Amino acid sequence: MSTASRVAKNTGYLYAKMGITMFISLYTTRLVLNSLGDVDFGIFNIVGGAIAMLGFFNAAMAGATQRFMSFAEGEGNKEKQKQIFNISIVLHTAISLLVGVVLLVAGYFFFHGILNIPPNRQFAAQVVYGSLIVSTMFTVMSVPYDAMLNAHENMRYYAIVGIIESLLKLAVAFAVVYTASDKLIVYGMLMAAIPFITLTIMRVYCHRRYEECIWAPRRYFNRALMREMTGFAGWNFLSTSSALLGNYGNSIILNHFYGVRLNAAMGVANQLHGQLMVLSTNLIKALNPVIVKNEGAHNREKMLEISLIGCKVSFFLLALVGIPFIIEAPTILKWWLKDIPEWTIVFLRCCIIRALIEQLFITLNTTISAQGNIKGTSFWNGVLYITPLFTLWLLFHYNYPPYWLYINAILFMAIGTGIVRLYYVRKFCGLSIMHFFCDVILRSLILLGLVLTISYLPEFIQTVKPWLRVVCVLGTSTLSIIILSYLVLLNKKERGYIKNSLKKYFLRISR
């Protein structure tokens, strides 16, 4: 099977999963918000907010392990894959214990002067936090199995696990609605049990399916490989944990100055933003092993070509669903939720803008990981994720409005980290910065400006009913972005790929 066909097939599995899980997730959030209320939902998002970020942590750490597995598969070295798997199990067990201890110590400070939580909800918040620690440890332990599925590009089974996880979350939401006990405690404890279930499912499947999943650390121990993977995992852990600390720290600072109600607004915005991101993240998940395997096969030119295409297509996919939400956020949120927490609309729009900027550099991270030297980019990414905490504290101290949370994040976490990635891809992989700017950034910004201008036209028709206006915005946006992406976003070579693929598809149908 060709690379393009394989990516298309895997992306198809992930989009099928997305179609099911997106509906379940949005409905689940509605149930939970209405059941818990603004205050308890805000408490869960500030205390147990890291649970929502565990998916990001899991994906980032799995990406590090997957890099070695995909690289070895590109080399055709099965023995090395067995060594990588065993070393990965040992490393992530140690990391899970370290994370558990750090969170346990941090909890003391969170509940003694940092978090702004109503006194009558302190105990419930502490139970949720304790559940979070256990959940986090199981999530880290599942990383080697997650990486194994990704390295083998087995997106069908990965999609099945994702659907099961969404159904479990829906079951938890119904349990919260009908429970007579403290709803926040029940929700926190049941949500924390889900990572253990998914770990068990993936572990059983991988050991039965893949020959390199053999637990024999003494037999497959390799000191040099252990040292290389430990160094890589350490720098990757620094970058990932800094990102988590930066995002979670933003929630804590927002809570300290504005209380749990704005954490509820932030939680709703992040939930919807996460669902919108699924389109682009599914593509990246399918592309990542392809990029690394090409580096493993010493085909750097093709690796860079795929990486740049990934940036543009990822931007296109997020813009496809994100632009209508930017324009019609008030109407869509009103349909979705009975009561919209204050600042939710502004927060959602800012989330989408930040994400669009991040898509411009999204696959460069995989490109850096593929060549192996991640020390510099991990260090500077860590700095750029932590620094905004200090600037945000100063901004809120001097009474700047809450939306500066996102302006601050865009400057440091989106634009800053993007520049760092671009610099190191140029340094280690030979990518031309001018070529990247003209082919990716400039084309994407021109596309965004044109599509926003065209899509906003239905807003001037004030007499139209809200549902009809949303349909007009959605139709105008979708049509314009598809046409303009072909004309503006893609270069001549990429348009040639599209034409040839369509010709082959129609020839196959005609036969």
Side-chain angles (χ1 to χ4, degrees), residues 345-407:
I345 295 170
V346 176
F347 285 1
L348 175 60
R349 285 170 169 163
C350 291
C351 273
I352 296 172
I353 291 170
R354 174 187 170 182
L356 283 169
I357 295 171
E358 289 174 336
Q359 300 316 296
L360 297 174
F361 309 94
I362 190 71
T363 52
L364 297 186
N365 200 47
T366 306
T367 305
I368 296 168
S369 296
Q371 60 81 34
N373 191 341
I374 65 169
K375 181 178 179 180
T377 185
S378 296
F379 173 78
W380 287 111
N381 282 344
V383 170
L384 289 166
Y385 274 111
I386 299 300
T387 302
L389 298 180
F390 301 101
T391 56
L392 184 64
W393 182 278
L394 289 173
L395 289 168
F396 284 171
H397 179 74
Y398 288 104
N399 299 318
Y400 278 72
Y403 59 76
W404 273 91
L405 164 74
Y406 290 97
I407 296 175

Side-chain angles (χ1 to χ4, degrees), residues 454-483:
I454 296 170
S455 302
Y456 201 81
L457 293 176
E459 286 293 296
F460 292 103
I461 310 174
Q462 296 297 328
T463 56
V464 174
K465 292 182 179 180
W467 69 267
L468 184 57
R469 190 179 66 247
V470 171
V471 171
C472 289
V473 169
L474 182 60
T476 305
S477 169
T478 303
L479 187 62
S480 62
I481 198 170
I482 290 174
I483 295 172

Side-chain angles (χ1 to χ4, degrees), residues 25-50:
S25 181
L26 294 176
Y27 181 65
T28 299
T29 301
R30 177 188 172 97
L31 282 177
V32 172
L33 177 60
N34 291 333
S35 181
L36 294 181
D38 282 1
V39 174
D40 274 6
F41 190 73
I43 290 173
F44 179 80
N45 277 281
I46 182 61
V47 176

Side-chain angles (χ1 to χ4, degrees), residues 43 50 62 77 79 126-127 132 150 176 189 202 204 212 219 242 249 369 381 466 470 486 495 497 507:
I43 290 173
N77 192 335
E79 193 69 14
Q126 289 172 351
V127 173
L132 158 69
N150 278 276
V176 171
M189 294 181 70
M202 287 194 292
V204 171
E212 59 266 39
R219 179 181 173 186
S242 297
S369 296
N381 282 344
V470 171
Y486 181 80
R495 286 196 292 269
Y497 286 151
L507 280 173

Side-chain angles (χ1 to χ4, degrees), residues 21 54 64 140 220 245 308 310 317 427 441 490 508:
T21 59
L54 288 179
V140 175
Y220 292 107
L245 182 60
L308 265 62
L317 290 172
K427 181 178 179 180
I441 296 179
L490 301 180
R508 195 180 301 120

Side-chain angles (χ1 to χ4, degrees), residues 262-291:
L262 258 71
N263 286 117
M266 188 180 185
V268 171
N270 287 343
Q271 176 71 27
L272 193 52
H273 158 255
Q275 295 305 313
L276 296 178
M277 285 288 293
V278 170
L279 270 174
S280 58
T281 53
N282 281 342
L283 173 75
I284 300 307
K285 187 173 287 293
L287 275 180
N288 281 347
V290 178
I291 293 172

